[in-house]
Amino acid sequence: VVDVRVKGALGVVQLDPTHRAVDSVILRERFVELGVWIRPIGDVIYLTPPLIISATELQKLTHAIVTVITEWSKPRR
C-alpha cells in the first residue's frame, strides 16, 4: 500500500504497482466473491459509501479491502 486517503465520504487505498502488478479485474472479482461491490480502478481502490451506512456494513467493506490486499500482497508461487 502506497497511501490511504480520506476526503469527506470518499476513501482511497492506493496500491504499489512496483511491488506487484495490479489487475483491477481480478481484485474486483475477489471483492464480489466476498459479497461487496468495490471497484478498483488501476492501482486505486475507491470507497464511496452512502452517508447512512451502518457500522456493520462499513466494517464489511473495510474487512474485504484488508482481505483482498493481504491476498494480493503475498508472493505468487
Side-chain angles (χ1 to χ4, degrees):
V1 173
V2 175
D3 195 17
V4 176
R5 301 182 291 278
V6 176
K7 180 83 172 186
L10 175 69
V12 174
V13 178
Q14 186 171 7
L15 302 176
D16 182 1
T18 63
H19 168 73
R20 181 172 169 193
V22 179
D23 186 335
S24 57
V25 172
I26 290 174
L27 294 178
R28 183 178 64 237
E29 289 173 354
R30 184 66 181 117
F31 285 126
V32 171
E33 288 172 4
L34 294 173
V36 296
W37 179 248
I38 297 174
R39 186 170 179 250
I41 300 173
D43 64 344
V44 180
I45 299 169
Y46 291 92
L47 277 184
T48 54
L51 296 176
I52 60 169
I53 192 167
S54 71
T56 302
E57 292 167 329
L58 185 58
Q59 184 178 24
K60 184 174 183 176
L61 289 174
T62 56
H63 179 60
I65 290 174
V66 170
T67 299
V68 171
I69 290 174
T70 300
E71 293 171 358
W72 171 80
S73 66
K74 291 182 182 176
R76 291 184 175 183
R77 292 181 180 209

